[in-house]
């Protein structure tokens, strides 16, 4: 029996008015793979993540998560299929404590409703105890527990990035999408982040797909790379080969972010 | 001992307060005027805390709260008169009036449920677009509700509807207590308590997640449409309960009492108290009720003074009295003495 790929994208095309942001994009990600997506600014990388997480509905093409099509699903339903993500610009809930940021992300599997919340029924109390405990334990694993009652904005920038990744992981996804996780980090934090992502990959049963500008981060982390430019796939394959590909060098030429 | 005090202090204070007011009302130690101001205070607390849920906690902008109040007021009035009073249109009471006392909370809750369903109808189309849409549609709903009732001759049209005094009197005949005072007190406490529980549950915290970043909320598994619907229904349902109580306090309703001016009053209370602060909304409702009474001699000029106050407030303290903090955030030591769950 063959198991379905964690993520499969077939002939994905996305138009915004007259602009074709993505054209005919294809990918298959296996269980526990770590893949990368690179390309110059405005190439369409974030758009692909927005399509996968259900934030946009594709103009053409199909997306399957664990073999299930995502067409027509609202983002929270796509999340329920096993996708979680971070954002290029950090999108934590800043007027909520660090612990609550994790707890609210458990909404999809709360298992109690409005009247339970008012009546504080048994299922309410059990669920709240459980997610409180789990959220705290998860923060502990990532050494963020001492900030549990702080607001995210009080954390150093690097830790905010980390918290956003932890919040995504708390969804227990089978596919984790990281959109430029190293953006805005200094070199020390960047190495810390590379270690963190590798550690997550080794310890959790999760496929990771990363968008990143920093070539060195990608070379260290990913086994497979895909390069897009103006929505077209211009190269793909093992990281070392892709780096030497003339088309990639041209696309990046003059881009100081390499 | 201390934890016992902490555990039961709120209940103790509430029972003492409720008992005291009831006793004073029963002994006629407080005059009818003061009593009605106290009851309007309760109604205003329900109105302000419930609108605060949508405009403060959820960050939407609903402007027609009095419309939902109106639905609750009319539904519970008509139901009460139909069941328990002799009326020239509806005829003899359908149920033995002695039972009015026991059915009264159900009648008020039915008004609340009707208002919640109206809220659902208003909320549903508001998902397609964002921003000002809810403001416009709630104002429109406010007008539609009033016009509908003005044109419904059976229930008095614009002349209004009465007969609720009979129901209140039957309750007092059954058991001689100032029942309206008691019911207003119970429903006010119940409303604040329900909102407090809702806001502090992980389920209800989805509301502030939507307020802070709706995209992140939806992608982090919050069913934003569902939460928005439930929240809006809760808010309009509570407004309906406030409307029902209002109707039975006065004993008379007319569509004019629920116009856009009334909605504006509620908005003023919410902004006065501070967005997303439950204790702020309670506090400002109390202050506002007193203020309205003080300004009563000014008659219509009060509608110059109140907006002026709002402008001054926005200039010097745009976040309202409490900002988005609660009483217990300002005085953390208070937490040692009470627990309100
Ligand atoms: N919602 C949108 N509406 C219109 N154009 C968009 C939208 N989202 C992205 N685009 C356009 O699509 C292109 C790809 O953007 P994006 O995916 O953000 O690039 P990047 O590779 O830098 O992440 C850009 O030209 C951008 O302006
Ligand atoms: Mg991007």
């Amino acid at each position: 029996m063959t198991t379905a790929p964690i993520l499969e994208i077939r002939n994905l095309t996305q138009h915004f008015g007259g602009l074709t942001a993505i054209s005919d994009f294809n990918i298959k990600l296996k269980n526990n793979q770590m893949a990368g997506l690179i390309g110059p600014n405005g190439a369409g990388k974030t758009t692909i993540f927005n399509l996968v997480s259900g934030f946009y509905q594709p103009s053409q093409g199909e997306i399957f998560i664990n073999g299930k099509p995502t067409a027509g699903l609202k983002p929270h339903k796509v999340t329920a299929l096993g996708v979680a993500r971070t954002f290029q610009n950090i999108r934590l809930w800043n007027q909520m404590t660090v612990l609550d940021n994790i707890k609210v992300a458990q909404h999809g599997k709360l298992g109690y409703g409005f009247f339970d919340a008012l009546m504080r029924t048994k299922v309410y109390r059990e669920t709240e105890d459980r997610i409180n405990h789990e959220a705290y334990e998860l923060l502990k694993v990532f050494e963020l527990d001492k900030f549990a009652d702080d607001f995210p904005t009080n954390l150093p920038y690097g830790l905010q990035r980390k918290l956003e990744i932890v919040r995504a992981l708390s969804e227990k996804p089978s596919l984790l999408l990281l959109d430029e996780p190293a953006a805005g980090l200094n070199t020390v934090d960047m190495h810390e982040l590379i270690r963190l992502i590798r550690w997550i990959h080794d310890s959790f049963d999760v496929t990771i797909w990363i968008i990143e500008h920093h070539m060195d981060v990608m070379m260290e982390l990913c086994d497979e790379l895909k390069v897009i430019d103006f929505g077209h796939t211009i190269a793909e394959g093992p990281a070392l080969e892709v780096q030497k590909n003339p088309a990639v060098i041209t696309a990046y030429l003059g881009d100081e972010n390499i | 001992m201390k934890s016992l005090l902490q555990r039961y202090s709120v209940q103790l204070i509430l029972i003492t307060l409720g008992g005291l007011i009831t006793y004073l009302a029963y002994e006629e130690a407080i005059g009818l005027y003061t009593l009605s101001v106290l009851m309007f205070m309760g109604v205003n607390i329900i109105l302000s805390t419930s609108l605060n849920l949508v405009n403060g906690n959820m960050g939407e902008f609903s402007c027609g709260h009095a419309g939902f109040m109106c639905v609750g007021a009319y539904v519970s009035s008509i139901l009460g008169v139909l069941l328990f009073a002799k009326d020239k249109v509806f005829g003899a009471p359908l149920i033995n009036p002695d039972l009015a006392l026991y059915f009264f909370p159900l009648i008020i809750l039915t008004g609340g449920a009707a208002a919640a369903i109206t809220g659902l109808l208003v909320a549903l189309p508001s998902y397609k677009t964002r921003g000002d849409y809810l403001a416009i549609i709630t104002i429109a709903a406010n007008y539609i509700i009033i016009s509908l009732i003005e044109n419904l001759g059976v229930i008095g049209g614009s002349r209004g509807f009465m007969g609720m005094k009979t129901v209140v009197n039957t309750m007092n005949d059954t058991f001689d207590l100032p029942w309206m005072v008691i019911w207003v007190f119970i429903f006010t406490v119940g409303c604040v308590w329900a909102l407090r529980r809702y806001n502090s549950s992980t389920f209800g915290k989805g509301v502030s997640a939507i307020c802070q970043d709706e995209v992140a909320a939806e992608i982090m598994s919050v069913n934003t449409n569902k939460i928005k619907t439930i929240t809006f229904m809760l808010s309009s349902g509570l407004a309906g309960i406030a409307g029902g109580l209002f109707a039975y306090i006065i004993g008379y309703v007319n569509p004019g009492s629920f116009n856009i001016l009334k909605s504006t009053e509620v908005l003023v209370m919410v902004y006065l108290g501070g967005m997303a602060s439950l204790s702020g909304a309670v506090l400002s409702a109390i202050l506002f009720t007193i203020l309205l009474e003080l300004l009563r001699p000014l008659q219509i000029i009060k509608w110059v003074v109140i907006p002026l106050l709002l402008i001054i407030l926005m200039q010097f303290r745009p976040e309202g009295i409490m900002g988005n903090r609660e009483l217990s955030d300002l005085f953390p030591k208070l937490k040692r003495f009470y627990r309100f769950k």
Side-chain angles (χ1 to χ4, degrees):
Chain A
M1 198 188 106
T2 55
T3 49
I6 297 291
L7 171 71
E8 182 173 6
I9 298 181
R10 286 191 212 142
N11 311 106
L12 187 70
T13 297
Q14 180 70 356
H15 306 289
F16 291 118
L19 174 84
T20 304
I22 306 295
S23 60
D24 200 22
F25 184 86
N26 292 277
I27 200 170
K28 253 187 209 175
L29 295 182
K30 295 191 299 282
N31 192 14
N32 222 16
Q33 201 178 344
M34 176 115 77
L37 181 62
I38 60 175
N41 254 325
K45 307 180 294 296
T46 300
T47 303
I48 292 180
F49 274 19
N50 285 341
L51 285 160
V52 172
S53 53
F55 186 55
Y56 299 145
Q57 288 296 322
S59 313
Q60 277 157 46
E62 292 164 301
I63 301 167
F64 300 89
I65 313 283
N66 290 312
K68 298 198 182 70
T70 66
L73 294 185
K74 299 251 311 162
H76 73 270
K77 293 272 186 203
V78 177
T79 307
L81 291 181
V83 186
R85 67 173 288 187
T86 64
F87 299 88
Q88 191 169 340
N89 307 307
I90 303 175
R91 300 187 88 147
L92 291 164
W93 299 299
N94 286 324
Q95 276 104 272
M96 221 184 261
T97 64
V98 166
L99 188 68
D100 277 346
N101 264 271
I102 308 289
K103 283 165 73 176
V104 170
Q106 310 313 305
H107 243 253
K109 23 188 189 285
L110 270 187
Y112 72 79
F114 172 73
F115 287 103
D116 295 300
L118 288 200
M119 302 322 296
R120 302 269 143 124
T121 54
K122 188 150 171 270
V123 53
Y124 171 87
R125 280 175 280 131
E126 282 170 0
T127 311
E128 290 281 335
D129 284 350
R130 178 175 52 78
I131 63 173
N132 197 54
H133 179 75
E134 284 176 4
Y136 200 80
E137 288 301 310
L138 192 67
L139 287 178
K140 218 184 234 166
V141 167
F142 289 91
E143 293 169 344
L144 288 168
D145 51 318
K146 57 177 175 294
F147 301 109
D149 295 327
D150 285 322
F151 292 106
T153 36
N154 294 344
L155 268 58
Y157 187 79
L159 290 187
Q160 292 185 31
R161 283 258 172 228
K162 183 174 174 182
L163 175 60
E164 210 196 13
I165 297 174
V166 175
R167 183 179 67 171
L169 261 185
S170 77
E171 303 277 359
K172 302 198 178 78
S174 46
L175 173 64
L176 177 63
L177 309 174
L178 303 176
D179 194 345
E180 304 205 19
L185 297 186
N186 60 34
T187 349
V188 180
D189 285 347
M190 193 133 75
H191 287 292
E192 182 75 20
L193 179 86
I194 292 173
R195 272 216 307 281
L196 176 76
I197 295 176
R198 188 169 292 135
W199 185 76
I200 289 173
H201 186 240
D202 292 342
S203 345
F204 293 77
D205 186 20
V206 63
T207 301
I208 302 180
W209 198 17
I210 312 172
I211 294 178
E212 192 45 74
H213 251 322
H214 299 84
M215 235 354 185
D216 42 345
V217 176
M218 294 305 240
M219 301 306 292
E220 274 203 55
L221 284 175
C222 304
D223 4 280
E224 288 271 320
L225 279 187
K226 237 180 209 297
V227 190
I228 60 171
D229 191 16
F230 294 114
H232 293 273
T233 310
I234 57 170
E236 58 194 303
L240 277 172
E241 275 173 38
V242 165
Q243 199 187 24
K244 294 194 208 92
N245 188 314
V248 177
I249 294 168
T250 324
Y252 267 93
L253 210 63
D255 193 327
E256 65 245 290
N257 275 316
I258 274 203
Chain B
M1 183 61 213
K2 188 158 206 176
S3 74
L4 212 67
L5 174 74
Q6 181 200 31
R7 208 172 173 142
Y8 294 111
S9 62
V10 174
Q11 282 93 324
L12 214 65
I13 290 172
L14 286 176
I15 291 171
T16 316
L17 186 68
L20 191 70
I21 296 175
T22 311
Y23 176 73
L24 292 178
Y26 180 72
E27 292 291 328
E28 289 172 16
I30 12 184
L32 280 181
Y33 170 73
T34 319
L35 215 52
S36 71
V37 173
L38 281 178
M39 286 193 281
F40 286 136
M41 220 174 247
V43 170
N44 281 342
I45 289 174
I46 301 178
L47 288 173
S48 128
T49 51
S50 60
L51 184 66
N52 187 43
L53 177 66
V54 169
N55 289 27
N57 295 77
M58 196 152 74
E60 296 271 358
F61 194 63
S62 166
C63 312
H65 218 46
F68 303 116
M69 196 187 166
C70 183
V71 172
Y74 267 87
V75 169
S76 52
S77 297
I78 294 168
L79 192 63
V81 171
L82 182 71
L83 293 180
F84 298 112
K86 198 162 147 308
D87 184 81
K88 36 187 191 314
V89 181
F90 299 129
L94 292 178
I95 303 182
N96 181 359
D98 285 346
L99 296 173
L101 177 56
Y102 310 103
F103 277 89
F104 187 76
L106 284 180
I107 290 174
I108 295 293
L109 286 175
T110 309
I117 290 165
T118 315
L120 174 70
L121 297 179
V122 172
L124 279 184
S126 80
Y127 301 137
K128 303 241 156 57
T129 38
R130 285 257 331 138
D132 307 334
Y133 189 78
L134 190 69
I136 294 163
I137 199 168
T138 44
I139 292 176
N142 198 161
Y143 274 106
I144 292 171
I145 290 163
I146 290 179
S147 313
L148 271 179
I149 292 174
E150 275 173 351
N151 289 300
L152 267 179
V154 208
I155 50 169
S158 54
R159 278 175 293 112
F161 182 82
M162 57 179 128
M164 289 78 88
K165 268 274 162 348
T166 328
V167 181
V168 175
N169 291 339
T170 357
M171 286 199 281
N172 295 351
D173 290 345
T174 313
F175 205 98
D176 186 21
L177 276 178
W179 280 110
M180 275 324 289
V181 178
I182 297 172
W183 289 129
V184 171
F185 188 80
I186 290 175
F187 275 106
T188 307
V189 171
C191 161
V192 176
W193 170 86
L195 286 172
R196 159 92 190 163
R197 285 195 159 186
Y198 186 57
N199 292 340
S200 62
S201 68
T202 301
F203 187 81
K205 277 175 189 161
V207 174
S208 51
I210 290 173
C211 175
Q212 292 168 43
D213 190 331
E214 188 171 346
V215 170
E218 175 71 36
I219 287 192
M220 300 318 294
S221 83
V222 179
N223 187 343
T224 54
N225 276 0
K226 179 176 149 195
I227 296 290
K228 283 202 274 188
T229 311
I230 290 177
T231 306
F232 199 73
M233 285 178 75
L234 176 59
S235 169
S236 38
L238 288 171
I241 288 177
L245 294 170
F246 177 84
Y248 279 89
I249 293 171
I250 302 188
Y252 163 78
V253 279
N254 70 329
S257 340
F258 306 104
N259 59 13
I260 211 79
L261 218 56
K262 184 75 194 176
S263 295
T264 314
E265 265 182 35
V266 188
L267 276 175
V268 173
M269 283 191 266
V270 170
Y271 288 93
L272 185 71
M275 307 297 268
S277 164
L278 187 57
S279 34
V282 173
L283 210 65
S284 72
I286 294 173
L287 287 177
F288 188 79
T289 316
I290 296 172
L291 193 72
L292 266 194
E293 287 312 311
L294 295 179
L295 293 178
R296 192 174 286 282
L298 293 180
Q299 295 196 349
I300 199 73
I301 300 181
K302 79 176 184 204
W303 280 108
V304 179
V305 179
I306 289 168
L308 210 61
L309 275 175
L310 199 58
I311 293 173
I312 294 171
L313 183 78
M314 291 295 128
Q315 284 293 320
F316 294 102
R317 201 172 162 80
E319 71 275 25
I321 300 174
M322 302 285 289
N324 61 4
R325 288 157 306 177
E326 296 295 345
L327 216 53
S328 53
D329 299 331
L330 292 185
F331 307 102
K333 282 192 179 146
L334 269 180
K335 275 198 189 130
R336 271 194 264 151
F337 300 108
Y338 81 89
R339 197 172 70 172
F340 186 45
K341 273 189 177 166

